[in-house]
Short mmCIF file of all heavy atoms in Angstrom, two decimals:
data_model
loop_
_atom_site.label_atom_id
_atom_site.label_comp_id
_atom_site.label_asym_id
_atom_site.label_seq_id
_atom_site.Cartn_x
_atom_site.Cartn_y
_atom_site.Cartn_z
N ASP A 1 33.06 12.40 21.79
CA ASP A 1 33.16 13.16 23.08
C ASP A 1 31.95 13.74 23.54
O ASP A 1 31.06 14.07 22.62
CB ASP A 1 34.27 14.21 22.96
CG ASP A 1 35.68 13.67 22.60
OD1 ASP A 1 35.87 12.58 23.13
OD2 ASP A 1 36.45 14.29 21.90
N GLY A 2 31.65 13.77 24.78
CA GLY A 2 30.38 14.36 25.32
C GLY A 2 29.34 13.35 25.36
O GLY A 2 29.52 12.14 25.52
N SER A 3 28.09 13.81 25.10
CA SER A 3 26.94 12.92 25.25
C SER A 3 26.66 11.96 24.12
O SER A 3 26.79 12.47 22.91
CB SER A 3 25.68 13.78 25.45
OG SER A 3 25.80 14.72 26.49
N PHE A 4 26.38 10.73 24.36
CA PHE A 4 25.93 9.78 23.36
C PHE A 4 25.21 8.63 24.10
O PHE A 4 25.53 8.38 25.25
CB PHE A 4 27.00 9.36 22.40
CG PHE A 4 28.16 8.54 23.04
CD1 PHE A 4 28.08 7.13 23.01
CD2 PHE A 4 29.22 9.07 23.65
CE1 PHE A 4 29.01 6.25 23.57
CE2 PHE A 4 30.21 8.35 24.16
CZ PHE A 4 30.10 6.92 24.10
N SER A 5 24.53 7.89 23.34
CA SER A 5 23.75 6.76 23.90
C SER A 5 24.56 5.48 23.67
O SER A 5 25.26 5.30 22.70
CB SER A 5 22.41 6.62 23.12
OG SER A 5 21.71 5.52 23.52
N LEU A 6 24.29 4.59 24.67
CA LEU A 6 24.81 3.17 24.56
C LEU A 6 24.29 2.42 23.27
O LEU A 6 24.98 1.61 22.82
CB LEU A 6 24.43 2.36 25.74
CG LEU A 6 25.36 2.29 26.98
CD1 LEU A 6 24.84 1.42 28.07
CD2 LEU A 6 26.75 1.71 26.53
N ASN A 7 23.25 3.01 22.69
CA ASN A 7 22.70 2.25 21.51
C ASN A 7 23.65 2.33 20.39
O ASN A 7 23.68 1.42 19.53
CB ASN A 7 21.39 2.91 21.13
CG ASN A 7 20.19 2.46 21.91
OD1 ASN A 7 19.96 1.28 22.03
ND2 ASN A 7 19.47 3.45 22.53
N LEU A 8 24.53 3.37 20.39
CA LEU A 8 25.62 3.38 19.37
C LEU A 8 26.52 2.19 19.47
O LEU A 8 26.73 1.46 18.40
CB LEU A 8 26.48 4.60 19.53
CG LEU A 8 27.78 4.71 18.77
CD1 LEU A 8 27.47 4.82 17.23
CD2 LEU A 8 28.60 5.84 19.19
N LEU A 9 26.89 1.73 20.64
CA LEU A 9 27.64 0.54 20.84
C LEU A 9 26.89 -0.75 20.59
O LEU A 9 27.50 -1.78 19.99
CB LEU A 9 28.29 0.48 22.18
CG LEU A 9 29.25 1.68 22.48
CD1 LEU A 9 29.88 1.41 23.86
CD2 LEU A 9 30.30 1.80 21.41
N PHE A 10 25.63 -0.69 20.96
CA PHE A 10 24.79 -1.95 20.61
C PHE A 10 24.74 -2.13 19.12
O PHE A 10 24.89 -3.33 18.66
CB PHE A 10 23.33 -1.73 21.20
CG PHE A 10 23.21 -1.74 22.71
CD1 PHE A 10 22.00 -1.39 23.27
CD2 PHE A 10 24.32 -1.95 23.54
CE1 PHE A 10 21.80 -1.42 24.59
CE2 PHE A 10 24.15 -1.92 24.89
CZ PHE A 10 22.92 -1.65 25.46
N ASP A 11 24.51 -1.07 18.40
CA ASP A 11 24.38 -1.21 16.91
C ASP A 11 25.72 -1.66 16.31
O ASP A 11 25.67 -2.48 15.33
CB ASP A 11 23.84 0.07 16.33
CG ASP A 11 22.45 0.34 16.74
OD1 ASP A 11 21.69 -0.54 16.93
OD2 ASP A 11 22.06 1.55 16.52
N ARG A 12 26.88 -1.21 16.81
CA ARG A 12 28.07 -1.61 16.22
C ARG A 12 28.35 -3.06 16.55
O ARG A 12 28.81 -3.89 15.68
CB ARG A 12 29.19 -0.79 16.89
CG ARG A 12 29.36 0.67 16.33
CD ARG A 12 30.39 1.37 17.05
NE ARG A 12 30.57 2.71 16.62
CZ ARG A 12 31.49 3.55 17.05
NH1 ARG A 12 32.31 3.17 18.01
NH2 ARG A 12 31.49 4.82 16.53
N ALA A 13 27.94 -3.47 17.71
CA ALA A 13 28.13 -4.97 18.05
C ALA A 13 27.13 -5.83 17.23
O ALA A 13 27.50 -6.93 16.75
CB ALA A 13 27.86 -5.19 19.58
N ILE A 14 25.95 -5.35 16.98
CA ILE A 14 25.07 -6.12 16.07
C ILE A 14 25.72 -6.21 14.69
O ILE A 14 25.68 -7.39 14.12
CB ILE A 14 23.67 -5.42 15.95
CG1 ILE A 14 22.88 -5.59 17.30
CG2 ILE A 14 22.87 -5.93 14.77
CD1 ILE A 14 21.64 -4.69 17.36
N ALA A 15 26.27 -5.20 14.17
CA ALA A 15 26.81 -5.19 12.80
C ALA A 15 28.03 -6.23 12.83
O ALA A 15 28.20 -6.84 11.74
CB ALA A 15 27.34 -3.81 12.40
N ALA A 16 28.70 -6.40 13.93
CA ALA A 16 29.80 -7.31 13.97
C ALA A 16 29.41 -8.73 14.31
O ALA A 16 30.21 -9.72 14.44
CB ALA A 16 30.80 -6.89 14.88
N GLY A 17 28.04 -8.96 14.65
CA GLY A 17 27.61 -10.30 15.05
C GLY A 17 28.05 -10.62 16.48
O GLY A 17 28.12 -11.75 16.83
N ARG A 18 28.25 -9.54 17.33
CA ARG A 18 28.87 -9.84 18.64
C ARG A 18 28.04 -9.19 19.81
O ARG A 18 28.47 -8.97 20.85
CB ARG A 18 30.32 -9.18 18.70
CG ARG A 18 31.23 -10.02 17.70
CD ARG A 18 32.59 -9.35 17.74
NE ARG A 18 33.21 -9.50 19.00
CZ ARG A 18 33.94 -10.56 19.36
NH1 ARG A 18 34.00 -11.64 18.66
NH2 ARG A 18 34.51 -10.56 20.54
N LEU A 19 26.69 -8.90 19.49
CA LEU A 19 25.82 -8.53 20.56
C LEU A 19 25.02 -9.76 20.94
O LEU A 19 24.30 -10.33 20.10
CB LEU A 19 24.92 -7.39 20.15
CG LEU A 19 23.96 -6.91 21.25
CD1 LEU A 19 24.75 -6.15 22.32
CD2 LEU A 19 22.89 -6.02 20.70
N TYR A 20 25.06 -10.20 22.22
CA TYR A 20 24.48 -11.40 22.69
C TYR A 20 23.47 -11.07 23.78
O TYR A 20 23.59 -10.03 24.38
CB TYR A 20 25.51 -12.36 23.21
CG TYR A 20 26.25 -13.22 22.15
CD1 TYR A 20 27.17 -12.63 21.31
CD2 TYR A 20 25.95 -14.53 21.88
CE1 TYR A 20 27.84 -13.34 20.36
CE2 TYR A 20 26.57 -15.24 20.96
CZ TYR A 20 27.54 -14.68 20.14
OH TYR A 20 28.16 -15.42 19.10
N GLY A 21 22.57 -12.08 23.99
CA GLY A 21 21.67 -11.86 25.10
C GLY A 21 21.37 -13.11 26.01
O GLY A 21 21.79 -14.25 25.51
N LEU A 22 20.97 -12.79 27.21
CA LEU A 22 20.62 -13.87 28.10
C LEU A 22 19.23 -13.56 28.68
O LEU A 22 18.96 -12.47 29.09
CB LEU A 22 21.66 -13.90 29.24
CG LEU A 22 21.29 -14.94 30.35
CD1 LEU A 22 21.37 -16.39 29.86
CD2 LEU A 22 22.19 -14.70 31.61
N ARG A 23 18.22 -14.48 28.52
CA ARG A 23 16.88 -14.38 29.03
C ARG A 23 16.90 -14.34 30.52
O ARG A 23 17.48 -15.15 31.21
CB ARG A 23 16.03 -15.43 28.50
CG ARG A 23 14.60 -15.27 28.89
CD ARG A 23 13.76 -16.26 28.20
NE ARG A 23 12.26 -15.99 28.55
CZ ARG A 23 11.17 -16.48 27.86
NH1 ARG A 23 11.47 -17.15 26.71
NH2 ARG A 23 9.98 -16.21 28.34
N LEU A 24 16.18 -13.29 31.01
CA LEU A 24 16.07 -13.13 32.52
C LEU A 24 15.35 -14.36 33.12
O LEU A 24 14.26 -14.73 32.53
CB LEU A 24 15.39 -11.74 32.86
CG LEU A 24 15.18 -11.46 34.20
CD1 LEU A 24 15.39 -9.93 34.48
CD2 LEU A 24 13.75 -11.77 34.71
N ASP A 25 15.79 -14.73 34.20
CA ASP A 25 15.14 -15.87 35.08
C ASP A 25 14.40 -15.05 36.08
O ASP A 25 14.87 -14.56 37.09
CB ASP A 25 16.11 -16.79 35.57
CG ASP A 25 15.45 -17.94 36.33
OD1 ASP A 25 14.19 -18.06 36.29
OD2 ASP A 25 16.17 -18.69 37.03
N GLY A 26 13.00 -14.91 35.97
CA GLY A 26 12.27 -14.14 36.84
C GLY A 26 11.20 -13.24 36.16
O GLY A 26 10.90 -13.56 34.90
N GLN A 27 10.87 -12.10 36.76
CA GLN A 27 9.91 -11.20 36.21
C GLN A 27 10.51 -9.78 36.30
O GLN A 27 11.02 -9.30 37.34
CB GLN A 27 8.55 -11.25 36.93
CG GLN A 27 7.52 -10.39 36.22
CD GLN A 27 6.19 -10.52 36.83
OE1 GLN A 27 5.96 -10.70 38.16
NE2 GLN A 27 5.13 -10.39 36.11
N TRP A 28 10.51 -9.19 35.13
CA TRP A 28 11.10 -7.77 35.03
C TRP A 28 10.06 -6.73 35.17
O TRP A 28 8.84 -6.84 34.75
CB TRP A 28 11.72 -7.63 33.65
CG TRP A 28 12.51 -6.31 33.47
CD1 TRP A 28 13.62 -5.98 34.20
CD2 TRP A 28 12.22 -5.33 32.54
NE1 TRP A 28 14.04 -4.65 33.63
CE2 TRP A 28 13.18 -4.27 32.78
CE3 TRP A 28 11.11 -5.12 31.58
CZ2 TRP A 28 13.24 -3.09 31.89
CZ3 TRP A 28 11.20 -3.99 30.80
CH2 TRP A 28 12.17 -3.00 31.04
N LEU A 29 10.46 -5.56 35.91
CA LEU A 29 9.54 -4.46 36.07
C LEU A 29 10.20 -3.22 35.68
O LEU A 29 11.28 -2.85 36.17
CB LEU A 29 9.18 -4.36 37.62
CG LEU A 29 8.49 -5.61 38.20
CD1 LEU A 29 9.65 -6.45 39.02
CD2 LEU A 29 7.44 -5.25 39.21
N HIS A 30 9.60 -2.46 34.67
CA HIS A 30 10.20 -1.34 34.20
C HIS A 30 9.53 -0.21 35.02
O HIS A 30 8.31 0.07 34.94
CB HIS A 30 9.90 -1.14 32.74
CG HIS A 30 10.49 0.22 32.19
ND1 HIS A 30 9.72 1.19 31.69
CD2 HIS A 30 11.78 0.71 32.28
CE1 HIS A 30 10.49 2.30 31.37
NE2 HIS A 30 11.69 1.97 31.72
N VAL A 31 10.38 0.52 35.84
CA VAL A 31 9.82 1.55 36.73
C VAL A 31 10.15 2.92 36.05
O VAL A 31 11.16 3.60 36.48
CB VAL A 31 10.44 1.41 38.16
CG1 VAL A 31 9.70 2.30 39.14
CG2 VAL A 31 10.26 -0.01 38.68
N GLY A 32 9.31 3.24 35.14
CA GLY A 32 9.57 4.57 34.44
C GLY A 32 8.56 5.65 34.59
O GLY A 32 8.93 6.84 34.26
#
């Protein structure tokens, strides 16, 4: 409950072998 990061769910999906990726078609810009 309350604040937590999506990384928690990413790590759980990795442990289950169920985190997948798709390579971006184009060029990414991180505006931070």
